[in-house]
Short mmCIF file of all heavy atoms in Angstrom, two decimals:
data_model
loop_
_atom_site.label_atom_id
_atom_site.label_comp_id
_atom_site.label_asym_id
_atom_site.label_seq_id
_atom_site.Cartn_x
_atom_site.Cartn_y
_atom_site.Cartn_z
N TRP A 5 205.71 -52.18 36.94
CA TRP A 5 206.73 -51.35 37.53
C TRP A 5 207.29 -50.43 36.47
O TRP A 5 207.20 -50.69 35.29
CB TRP A 5 207.81 -52.17 38.23
CG TRP A 5 208.45 -53.20 37.34
CD1 TRP A 5 208.11 -54.51 37.24
CD2 TRP A 5 209.54 -53.02 36.44
NE1 TRP A 5 208.92 -55.14 36.33
CE2 TRP A 5 209.81 -54.25 35.82
CE3 TRP A 5 210.30 -51.93 36.09
CZ2 TRP A 5 210.82 -54.41 34.88
CZ3 TRP A 5 211.30 -52.10 35.15
CH2 TRP A 5 211.55 -53.33 34.58
N VAL A 6 207.88 -49.34 36.92
CA VAL A 6 208.48 -48.34 36.04
C VAL A 6 209.86 -48.02 36.59
O VAL A 6 210.02 -47.81 37.79
CB VAL A 6 207.63 -47.05 36.00
CG1 VAL A 6 208.33 -45.97 35.21
CG2 VAL A 6 206.25 -47.33 35.42
N ASN A 7 210.85 -48.01 35.72
CA ASN A 7 212.18 -47.57 36.12
C ASN A 7 212.26 -46.06 36.00
O ASN A 7 211.69 -45.48 35.08
CB ASN A 7 213.25 -48.20 35.24
CG ASN A 7 213.41 -49.68 35.52
OD1 ASN A 7 213.21 -50.13 36.63
ND2 ASN A 7 213.75 -50.43 34.50
N SER A 8 212.98 -45.45 36.92
CA SER A 8 213.08 -44.00 36.93
C SER A 8 214.42 -43.60 37.52
O SER A 8 215.22 -44.44 37.91
CB SER A 8 211.94 -43.43 37.79
OG SER A 8 212.04 -42.04 37.88
N GLN A 9 214.63 -42.31 37.58
CA GLN A 9 215.78 -41.76 38.28
C GLN A 9 215.27 -40.69 39.22
O GLN A 9 214.51 -39.81 38.81
CB GLN A 9 216.78 -41.12 37.30
CG GLN A 9 217.46 -42.10 36.40
CD GLN A 9 218.40 -41.39 35.44
OE1 GLN A 9 218.49 -40.17 35.39
NE2 GLN A 9 219.11 -42.18 34.65
N ASN A 10 215.63 -40.78 40.48
CA ASN A 10 215.31 -39.75 41.46
C ASN A 10 213.81 -39.54 41.70
O ASN A 10 213.39 -38.44 42.01
CB ASN A 10 215.97 -38.42 41.08
CG ASN A 10 217.46 -38.55 40.97
OD1 ASN A 10 218.08 -39.24 41.77
ND2 ASN A 10 218.04 -37.93 39.97
N ALA A 11 212.99 -40.56 41.51
CA ALA A 11 211.57 -40.43 41.80
C ALA A 11 211.33 -40.62 43.29
O ALA A 11 211.79 -41.58 43.88
CB ALA A 11 210.77 -41.46 41.01
N LEU A 12 210.65 -39.69 43.89
CA LEU A 12 210.34 -39.75 45.31
C LEU A 12 208.85 -39.50 45.48
O LEU A 12 208.22 -38.88 44.63
CB LEU A 12 211.13 -38.68 46.08
CG LEU A 12 212.65 -38.78 46.01
CD1 LEU A 12 213.29 -37.55 46.62
CD2 LEU A 12 213.13 -40.04 46.71
N PRO A 13 208.28 -39.98 46.59
CA PRO A 13 206.90 -39.60 46.84
C PRO A 13 206.83 -38.08 46.85
O PRO A 13 207.75 -37.44 47.35
CB PRO A 13 206.61 -40.17 48.22
CG PRO A 13 207.63 -41.25 48.42
CD PRO A 13 208.83 -40.80 47.65
N PRO A 14 205.89 -37.47 46.25
CA PRO A 14 204.61 -37.94 45.76
C PRO A 14 204.56 -38.19 44.24
O PRO A 14 203.59 -37.80 43.59
CB PRO A 14 203.68 -36.81 46.15
CG PRO A 14 204.53 -35.58 45.97
CD PRO A 14 205.93 -36.00 46.33
N THR A 15 205.55 -38.84 43.66
CA THR A 15 205.51 -39.17 42.24
C THR A 15 204.47 -40.26 41.99
O THR A 15 204.37 -41.21 42.76
CB THR A 15 206.90 -39.64 41.76
OG1 THR A 15 207.84 -38.59 41.99
CG2 THR A 15 206.89 -39.99 40.28
N VAL A 16 203.70 -40.10 40.91
CA VAL A 16 202.69 -41.10 40.56
C VAL A 16 202.88 -41.52 39.10
O VAL A 16 203.39 -40.76 38.28
CB VAL A 16 201.24 -40.60 40.76
CG1 VAL A 16 200.95 -40.37 42.22
CG2 VAL A 16 200.97 -39.36 39.94
N ILE A 17 202.45 -42.74 38.81
CA ILE A 17 202.42 -43.24 37.44
C ILE A 17 201.10 -42.81 36.82
O ILE A 17 200.04 -42.96 37.43
CB ILE A 17 202.56 -44.77 37.41
CG1 ILE A 17 203.92 -45.19 37.98
CG2 ILE A 17 202.39 -45.31 35.99
CD1 ILE A 17 204.08 -46.70 38.17
N LEU A 18 201.19 -42.26 35.61
CA LEU A 18 199.98 -41.86 34.87
C LEU A 18 199.71 -42.86 33.76
O LEU A 18 200.62 -43.27 33.05
CB LEU A 18 200.16 -40.48 34.26
CG LEU A 18 200.48 -39.33 35.21
CD1 LEU A 18 200.71 -38.05 34.41
CD2 LEU A 18 199.38 -39.15 36.22
N TRP A 19 198.46 -43.24 33.62
CA TRP A 19 198.01 -44.11 32.52
C TRP A 19 197.05 -43.27 31.70
O TRP A 19 195.97 -42.92 32.17
CB TRP A 19 197.32 -45.35 33.09
CG TRP A 19 196.86 -46.33 32.06
CD1 TRP A 19 195.70 -46.26 31.34
CD2 TRP A 19 197.52 -47.51 31.64
NE1 TRP A 19 195.60 -47.33 30.49
CE2 TRP A 19 196.72 -48.12 30.66
CE3 TRP A 19 198.72 -48.11 31.99
CZ2 TRP A 19 197.07 -49.30 30.04
CZ3 TRP A 19 199.06 -49.29 31.36
CH2 TRP A 19 198.25 -49.87 30.41
N ASN A 20 197.46 -42.91 30.50
CA ASN A 20 196.65 -42.02 29.65
C ASN A 20 196.26 -40.75 30.41
O ASN A 20 195.14 -40.25 30.29
CB ASN A 20 195.42 -42.73 29.12
CG ASN A 20 195.78 -43.81 28.12
OD1 ASN A 20 196.78 -43.69 27.41
ND2 ASN A 20 194.99 -44.85 28.05
N GLY A 21 197.19 -40.25 31.21
CA GLY A 21 196.98 -39.00 31.93
C GLY A 21 196.30 -39.14 33.27
O GLY A 21 196.21 -38.18 34.02
N ASP A 22 195.78 -40.33 33.58
CA ASP A 22 195.10 -40.55 34.86
C ASP A 22 196.07 -41.19 35.86
O ASP A 22 196.73 -42.18 35.54
CB ASP A 22 193.90 -41.47 34.67
CG ASP A 22 192.83 -40.85 33.79
OD1 ASP A 22 192.63 -39.62 33.88
OD2 ASP A 22 192.20 -41.59 33.02
N PRO A 23 196.13 -40.65 37.09
CA PRO A 23 197.04 -41.22 38.08
C PRO A 23 196.57 -42.60 38.56
O PRO A 23 195.38 -42.84 38.74
CB PRO A 23 197.01 -40.21 39.22
CG PRO A 23 195.74 -39.45 39.05
CD PRO A 23 195.40 -39.49 37.59
N LEU A 24 197.54 -43.49 38.72
CA LEU A 24 197.29 -44.80 39.32
C LEU A 24 197.84 -44.78 40.74
O LEU A 24 198.85 -44.11 40.99
CB LEU A 24 198.01 -45.90 38.52
CG LEU A 24 197.55 -46.13 37.09
CD1 LEU A 24 198.48 -47.14 36.42
CD2 LEU A 24 196.11 -46.61 37.04
N PRO A 25 197.22 -45.51 41.68
CA PRO A 25 197.83 -45.62 43.01
C PRO A 25 199.24 -46.20 42.85
O PRO A 25 199.41 -47.28 42.28
CB PRO A 25 196.91 -46.59 43.74
CG PRO A 25 195.60 -46.49 43.02
CD PRO A 25 195.96 -46.24 41.59
N THR A 26 200.22 -45.45 43.29
CA THR A 26 201.62 -45.76 43.00
C THR A 26 202.42 -46.00 44.27
O THR A 26 202.25 -45.29 45.26
CB THR A 26 202.26 -44.59 42.22
OG1 THR A 26 201.51 -44.38 41.01
CG2 THR A 26 203.71 -44.86 41.88
N THR A 27 203.27 -47.02 44.21
CA THR A 27 204.21 -47.29 45.30
C THR A 27 205.61 -46.95 44.81
O THR A 27 206.02 -47.42 43.76
CB THR A 27 204.15 -48.78 45.70
OG1 THR A 27 202.83 -49.08 46.14
CG2 THR A 27 205.14 -49.09 46.80
N VAL A 28 206.30 -46.12 45.57
CA VAL A 28 207.69 -45.78 45.25
C VAL A 28 208.56 -46.70 46.10
O VAL A 28 208.68 -46.52 47.30
CB VAL A 28 208.00 -44.30 45.52
CG1 VAL A 28 209.46 -44.00 45.22
CG2 VAL A 28 207.09 -43.40 44.70
N GLY A 29 209.14 -47.73 45.45
CA GLY A 29 209.99 -48.67 46.15
C GLY A 29 211.36 -48.09 46.44
O GLY A 29 211.97 -48.37 47.47
N SER A 30 211.84 -47.29 45.51
CA SER A 30 213.12 -46.59 45.64
C SER A 30 213.11 -45.47 44.61
O SER A 30 212.21 -45.42 43.78
CB SER A 30 214.28 -47.55 45.36
OG SER A 30 214.36 -47.82 43.96
N PRO A 31 214.08 -44.57 44.63
CA PRO A 31 214.10 -43.51 43.62
C PRO A 31 214.21 -44.04 42.18
O PRO A 31 213.97 -43.32 41.24
CB PRO A 31 215.33 -42.69 44.00
CG PRO A 31 215.47 -42.90 45.46
CD PRO A 31 215.08 -44.34 45.67
N ALA A 32 214.56 -45.32 42.03
CA ALA A 32 214.72 -45.89 40.69
C ALA A 32 213.60 -46.85 40.31
O ALA A 32 213.58 -47.34 39.19
CB ALA A 32 216.06 -46.61 40.59
N ALA A 33 212.65 -47.15 41.22
CA ALA A 33 211.63 -48.14 40.90
C ALA A 33 210.29 -47.76 41.51
O ALA A 33 210.17 -47.56 42.72
CB ALA A 33 212.05 -49.51 41.41
N LEU A 34 209.28 -47.66 40.64
CA LEU A 34 207.91 -47.39 41.07
C LEU A 34 207.03 -48.51 40.56
O LEU A 34 207.34 -49.14 39.55
CB LEU A 34 207.41 -46.07 40.48
CG LEU A 34 208.12 -44.80 40.91
CD1 LEU A 34 209.24 -44.49 39.95
CD2 LEU A 34 207.15 -43.66 40.94
N SER A 35 205.90 -48.74 41.24
CA SER A 35 204.97 -49.76 40.76
C SER A 35 203.55 -49.29 40.97
O SER A 35 203.26 -48.46 41.83
CB SER A 35 205.20 -51.10 41.46
OG SER A 35 204.95 -50.97 42.85
N ALA A 36 202.65 -49.83 40.15
CA ALA A 36 201.23 -49.55 40.25
C ALA A 36 200.46 -50.71 39.65
O ALA A 36 200.94 -51.36 38.71
CB ALA A 36 200.88 -48.26 39.52
N LEU A 37 199.29 -50.97 40.20
CA LEU A 37 198.41 -51.98 39.61
C LEU A 37 197.57 -51.31 38.53
O LEU A 37 196.97 -50.26 38.76
CB LEU A 37 197.50 -52.58 40.67
CG LEU A 37 198.18 -53.43 41.72
CD1 LEU A 37 197.17 -53.90 42.76
CD2 LEU A 37 198.84 -54.64 41.08
N VAL A 38 197.54 -51.94 37.36
CA VAL A 38 196.76 -51.42 36.25
C VAL A 38 195.44 -52.19 36.22
O VAL A 38 195.45 -53.42 36.10
CB VAL A 38 197.51 -51.59 34.90
CG1 VAL A 38 196.66 -51.10 33.75
CG2 VAL A 38 198.84 -50.85 34.96
N PRO A 39 194.31 -51.51 36.33
CA PRO A 39 193.03 -52.20 36.28
C PRO A 39 192.85 -52.96 34.96
O PRO A 39 193.26 -52.49 33.91
CB PRO A 39 191.99 -51.08 36.39
CG PRO A 39 192.74 -49.93 37.01
CD PRO A 39 194.15 -50.07 36.53
N ALA A 40 192.23 -54.14 35.04
CA ALA A 40 192.01 -54.95 33.84
C ALA A 40 191.23 -54.18 32.78
O ALA A 40 191.45 -54.36 31.59
CB ALA A 40 191.27 -56.24 34.22
N SER A 41 190.35 -53.29 33.21
CA SER A 41 189.56 -52.51 32.24
C SER A 41 190.45 -51.63 31.37
O SER A 41 190.08 -51.29 30.24
CB SER A 41 188.52 -51.66 32.97
OG SER A 41 189.16 -50.75 33.86
N ASN A 42 191.63 -51.25 31.87
CA ASN A 42 192.56 -50.45 31.07
C ASN A 42 193.20 -51.26 29.95
O ASN A 42 193.80 -50.69 29.04
CB ASN A 42 193.67 -49.88 31.95
CG ASN A 42 193.19 -48.78 32.86
OD1 ASN A 42 192.01 -48.58 33.05
ND2 ASN A 42 194.12 -48.06 33.46
N LEU A 43 193.09 -52.58 30.03
CA LEU A 43 193.72 -53.46 29.04
C LEU A 43 192.68 -54.19 28.19
O LEU A 43 193.02 -55.09 27.44
CB LEU A 43 194.61 -54.48 29.75
CG LEU A 43 195.71 -53.90 30.63
CD1 LEU A 43 196.34 -54.98 31.48
CD2 LEU A 43 196.74 -53.19 29.78
N SER A 44 191.42 -53.79 28.28
CA SER A 44 190.35 -54.55 27.65
C SER A 44 190.13 -54.25 26.17
O SER A 44 189.43 -55.00 25.50
CB SER A 44 189.03 -54.32 28.40
OG SER A 44 188.65 -52.95 28.31
N LYS A 45 190.72 -53.18 25.66
CA LYS A 45 190.55 -52.83 24.24
C LYS A 45 191.91 -52.62 23.59
O LYS A 45 192.82 -52.06 24.19
CB LYS A 45 189.73 -51.55 24.11
CG LYS A 45 188.32 -51.68 24.61
CD LYS A 45 187.57 -50.38 24.44
CE LYS A 45 186.17 -50.50 25.00
NZ LYS A 45 185.45 -49.23 24.93
N PRO A 46 192.05 -53.05 22.32
CA PRO A 46 193.31 -52.80 21.62
C PRO A 46 193.56 -51.30 21.49
O PRO A 46 192.62 -50.51 21.43
CB PRO A 46 193.10 -53.43 20.24
CG PRO A 46 191.86 -54.23 20.32
CD PRO A 46 191.08 -53.75 21.49
N GLY A 47 194.81 -50.95 21.46
CA GLY A 47 195.18 -49.55 21.30
C GLY A 47 196.56 -49.30 21.87
O GLY A 47 197.36 -50.22 22.00
N THR A 48 196.81 -48.07 22.21
CA THR A 48 198.10 -47.68 22.78
C THR A 48 197.86 -46.83 24.01
O THR A 48 197.17 -45.82 23.94
CB THR A 48 198.93 -46.89 21.75
OG1 THR A 48 199.09 -47.69 20.58
CG2 THR A 48 200.29 -46.53 22.31
N ALA A 49 198.43 -47.25 25.12
CA ALA A 49 198.36 -46.48 26.36
C ALA A 49 199.57 -45.56 26.44
O ALA A 49 200.66 -45.91 26.00
CB ALA A 49 198.32 -47.41 27.57
N ARG A 50 199.36 -44.40 27.04
CA ARG A 50 200.44 -43.44 27.25
C ARG A 50 200.80 -43.48 28.74
O ARG A 50 199.97 -43.16 29.58
CB ARG A 50 199.98 -42.05 26.85
CG ARG A 50 199.63 -41.95 25.37
CD ARG A 50 198.96 -40.63 25.01
NE ARG A 50 199.69 -39.47 25.46
CZ ARG A 50 200.65 -38.85 24.77
NH1 ARG A 50 200.96 -39.28 23.57
NH2 ARG A 50 201.26 -37.82 25.27
N ILE A 51 202.03 -43.88 29.04
CA ILE A 51 202.48 -44.01 30.42
C ILE A 51 203.54 -42.94 30.69
O ILE A 51 204.47 -42.76 29.90
CB ILE A 51 203.05 -45.41 30.68
CG1 ILE A 51 201.98 -46.46 30.42
CG2 ILE A 51 203.59 -45.52 32.10
CD1 ILE A 51 202.48 -47.87 30.43
N SER A 52 203.37 -42.26 31.81
CA SER A 52 204.35 -41.25 32.20
C SER A 52 204.33 -41.14 33.73
O SER A 52 203.56 -41.82 34.40
CB SER A 52 204.05 -39.90 31.54
OG SER A 52 202.75 -39.45 31.91
N LEU A 53 205.19 -40.28 34.24
CA LEU A 53 205.27 -40.03 35.68
C LEU A 53 204.98 -38.56 35.94
O LEU A 53 205.30 -37.70 35.11
CB LEU A 53 206.67 -40.34 36.21
CG LEU A 53 207.20 -41.74 36.00
CD1 LEU A 53 208.63 -41.84 36.51
CD2 LEU A 53 206.32 -42.76 36.68
N ARG A 54 204.36 -38.28 37.08
CA ARG A 54 204.14 -36.89 37.48
C ARG A 54 204.59 -36.72 38.92
O ARG A 54 204.21 -37.49 39.80
CB ARG A 54 202.68 -36.50 37.38
CG ARG A 54 202.43 -35.06 37.87
CD ARG A 54 200.97 -34.66 37.89
NE ARG A 54 200.46 -34.66 36.53
CZ ARG A 54 199.21 -35.00 36.23
NH1 ARG A 54 198.36 -35.38 37.16
NH2 ARG A 54 198.81 -34.95 34.97
N ASP A 55 205.38 -35.69 39.14
CA ASP A 55 205.75 -35.30 40.49
C ASP A 55 204.64 -34.37 40.99
O ASP A 55 204.50 -33.25 40.49
CB ASP A 55 207.10 -34.58 40.49
CG ASP A 55 207.56 -34.17 41.88
OD1 ASP A 55 206.69 -33.86 42.73
OD2 ASP A 55 208.77 -34.14 42.11
N ARG A 56 203.85 -34.84 41.91
CA ARG A 56 202.70 -34.05 42.37
C ARG A 56 203.11 -32.79 43.11
O ARG A 56 202.32 -31.84 43.18
CB ARG A 56 201.79 -34.90 43.26
CG ARG A 56 201.01 -35.91 42.47
CD ARG A 56 200.00 -36.59 43.34
NE ARG A 56 199.11 -37.39 42.51
CZ ARG A 56 198.05 -37.98 42.96
NH1 ARG A 56 197.72 -37.87 44.23
NH2 ARG A 56 197.29 -38.69 42.15
N SER A 57 204.30 -32.74 43.65
CA SER A 57 204.72 -31.54 44.37
C SER A 57 205.09 -30.40 43.42
O SER A 57 204.95 -29.24 43.78
CB SER A 57 205.87 -31.84 45.33
OG SER A 57 207.02 -32.23 44.61
N THR A 58 205.56 -30.74 42.23
CA THR A 58 205.96 -29.70 41.26
C THR A 58 205.06 -29.64 40.04
O THR A 58 205.06 -28.66 39.32
CB THR A 58 207.39 -29.94 40.76
OG1 THR A 58 207.41 -31.17 40.02
CG2 THR A 58 208.39 -29.98 41.90
N GLY A 59 204.32 -30.73 39.78
CA GLY A 59 203.48 -30.80 38.58
C GLY A 59 204.25 -31.22 37.34
O GLY A 59 203.67 -31.37 36.27
N LEU A 60 205.56 -31.42 37.47
CA LEU A 60 206.36 -31.80 36.32
C LEU A 60 206.06 -33.24 35.90
O LEU A 60 205.83 -34.10 36.75
CB LEU A 60 207.85 -31.66 36.63
CG LEU A 60 208.35 -30.24 36.88
CD1 LEU A 60 209.81 -30.27 37.30
CD2 LEU A 60 208.16 -29.39 35.63
N GLU A 61 206.06 -33.47 34.57
CA GLU A 61 205.81 -34.81 34.05
C GLU A 61 206.99 -35.29 33.22
O GLU A 61 207.71 -34.50 32.62
CB GLU A 61 204.55 -34.83 33.18
CG GLU A 61 203.30 -34.68 34.00
CD GLU A 61 202.03 -34.92 33.20
OE1 GLU A 61 202.08 -35.63 32.17
OE2 GLU A 61 200.99 -34.39 33.61
N SER A 62 207.16 -36.60 33.20
CA SER A 62 208.23 -37.23 32.43
C SER A 62 207.84 -37.30 30.95
O SER A 62 206.72 -36.97 30.56
CB SER A 62 208.48 -38.65 32.94
OG SER A 62 207.37 -39.48 32.59
N ALA A 63 208.77 -37.79 30.17
CA ALA A 63 208.45 -38.13 28.79
C ALA A 63 207.44 -39.28 28.81
O ALA A 63 207.31 -40.01 29.80
CB ALA A 63 209.71 -38.56 28.05
N VAL A 64 206.72 -39.45 27.72
CA VAL A 64 205.68 -40.48 27.62
C VAL A 64 206.25 -41.74 26.99
O VAL A 64 207.02 -41.68 26.03
CB VAL A 64 204.50 -39.96 26.77
CG1 VAL A 64 203.51 -41.06 26.46
CG2 VAL A 64 203.82 -38.80 27.48
N TYR A 65 205.89 -42.88 27.57
CA TYR A 65 206.21 -44.19 26.99
C TYR A 65 204.92 -44.74 26.39
O TYR A 65 203.87 -44.73 27.05
CB TYR A 65 206.73 -45.14 28.07
CG TYR A 65 206.90 -46.56 27.58
CD1 TYR A 65 207.99 -46.92 26.80
CD2 TYR A 65 205.95 -47.53 27.86
CE1 TYR A 65 208.14 -48.22 26.33
CE2 TYR A 65 206.09 -48.83 27.40
CZ TYR A 65 207.19 -49.16 26.63
OH TYR A 65 207.33 -50.44 26.17
N LEU A 66 204.97 -45.17 25.13
CA LEU A 66 203.80 -45.73 24.48
C LEU A 66 203.77 -47.24 24.69
O LEU A 66 204.72 -47.94 24.35
CB LEU A 66 203.80 -45.39 22.99
CG LEU A 66 203.79 -43.89 22.68
CD1 LEU A 66 203.86 -43.66 21.18
CD2 LEU A 66 202.56 -43.22 23.28
N PHE A 67 202.68 -47.73 25.27
CA PHE A 67 202.52 -49.14 25.62
C PHE A 67 201.43 -49.74 24.74
O PHE A 67 200.25 -49.44 24.90
CB PHE A 67 202.15 -49.26 27.09
CG PHE A 67 201.96 -50.66 27.57
CD1 PHE A 67 203.05 -51.44 27.91
CD2 PHE A 67 200.69 -51.21 27.70
CE1 PHE A 67 202.88 -52.74 28.37
CE2 PHE A 67 200.50 -52.50 28.16
CZ PHE A 67 201.60 -53.26 28.49
N PRO A 68 201.80 -50.60 23.76
CA PRO A 68 200.79 -51.17 22.87
C PRO A 68 199.96 -52.26 23.56
O PRO A 68 200.49 -53.09 24.30
CB PRO A 68 201.60 -51.76 21.72
CG PRO A 68 202.96 -52.02 22.31
CD PRO A 68 203.15 -51.01 23.40
N ILE A 69 198.67 -52.23 23.32
CA ILE A 69 197.74 -53.26 23.78
C ILE A 69 197.21 -53.91 22.52
O ILE A 69 196.35 -53.35 21.82
CB ILE A 69 196.61 -52.66 24.62
CG1 ILE A 69 197.19 -51.86 25.78
CG2 ILE A 69 195.68 -53.76 25.13
CD1 ILE A 69 196.19 -50.97 26.48
N THR A 70 197.75 -55.06 22.17
CA THR A 70 197.48 -55.64 20.85
C THR A 70 196.43 -56.74 20.83
O THR A 70 195.73 -56.89 19.86
CB THR A 70 198.77 -56.20 20.22
OG1 THR A 70 199.33 -57.13 21.13
CG2 THR A 70 199.76 -55.08 19.97
N ASP A 71 196.33 -57.52 21.90
CA ASP A 71 195.37 -58.61 21.91
C ASP A 71 194.84 -58.80 23.33
O ASP A 71 195.27 -59.71 24.03
CB ASP A 71 196.03 -59.90 21.39
CG ASP A 71 195.01 -60.97 21.03
OD1 ASP A 71 193.80 -60.74 21.21
OD2 ASP A 71 195.44 -62.04 20.58
N PRO A 72 193.93 -57.93 23.74
CA PRO A 72 193.43 -58.01 25.11
C PRO A 72 192.87 -59.39 25.44
O PRO A 72 192.25 -60.04 24.61
CB PRO A 72 192.30 -56.95 25.15
CG PRO A 72 192.63 -56.05 24.02
CD PRO A 72 193.30 -56.89 22.98
N GLY A 73 193.11 -59.80 26.66
CA GLY A 73 192.58 -61.07 27.12
C GLY A 73 193.39 -62.29 26.74
O GLY A 73 193.05 -63.41 27.10
N ARG A 74 194.47 -62.11 26.02
CA ARG A 74 195.32 -63.23 25.62
C ARG A 74 196.73 -62.98 26.12
O ARG A 74 197.53 -62.36 25.43
CB ARG A 74 195.33 -63.40 24.10
CG ARG A 74 193.95 -63.67 23.56
CD ARG A 74 193.77 -64.88 22.71
NE ARG A 74 194.84 -65.80 22.57
CZ ARG A 74 195.24 -66.27 21.39
NH1 ARG A 74 194.68 -65.87 20.28
NH2 ARG A 74 196.19 -67.15 21.33
N PRO A 75 197.04 -63.42 27.33
CA PRO A 75 198.37 -63.12 27.90
C PRO A 75 199.53 -63.71 27.14
O PRO A 75 200.65 -63.29 27.31
CB PRO A 75 198.28 -63.72 29.32
CG PRO A 75 197.18 -64.69 29.26
CD PRO A 75 196.22 -64.23 28.19
N ASP A 76 199.26 -64.66 26.22
CA ASP A 76 200.34 -65.27 25.46
C ASP A 76 200.67 -64.47 24.21
O ASP A 76 201.56 -64.83 23.46
CB ASP A 76 199.97 -66.70 25.07
CG ASP A 76 198.70 -66.78 24.22
OD1 ASP A 76 197.79 -65.94 24.44
OD2 ASP A 76 198.63 -67.64 23.35
N LYS A 77 199.97 -63.38 23.94
CA LYS A 77 200.20 -62.61 22.70
C LYS A 77 200.78 -61.25 23.00
O LYS A 77 200.52 -60.61 23.89
CB LYS A 77 198.88 -62.41 21.93
CG LYS A 77 198.31 -63.69 21.42
CD LYS A 77 199.14 -64.25 20.31
CE LYS A 77 198.58 -65.57 19.82
NZ LYS A 77 199.39 -66.21 18.86
#
């Protein structure tokens, strides 16, 4: 899930610039399922939001992937 302000459909969550199927629960909460393949290699994912009606994008949040396949790490 992603916290936001004033997000309405057709806002989508972007993972490294690629849109994920996104559910807007409210203007303050969005969610999307991240495919396991997106978490299979160490690195840093860039997460942001895009309003598809205007093309505007949010600031980017950097999400570290440090030990794929080990949910306890």
Side-chain angles (χ1 to χ4, degrees):
W5 55 265
V6 173
N7 289 329
S8 177
Q9 293 178 356
N10 302 320
L12 299 171
T15 300
V16 294
I17 297 172
L18 302 177
W19 182 278
N20 292 330
D22 296 324
L24 296 174
T26 302
T27 300
V28 178
S30 74
L34 296 92
S35 63
L37 292 176
V38 178
S41 60
N42 288 14
L43 302 169
S44 64
K45 296 180 182 176
T48 303
R50 298 171 52 89
I51 300 171
S52 59
L53 303 176
R54 177 184 296 146
D55 181 328
R56 287 188 170 188
S57 65
T58 65
L60 294 175
E61 289 189 25
S62 70
V64 171
Y65 172 78
L66 300 177
F67 180 81
I69 305 166
T70 56
D71 195 358
R74 300 234 7 228
D76 60 326
K77 295 290 178 186

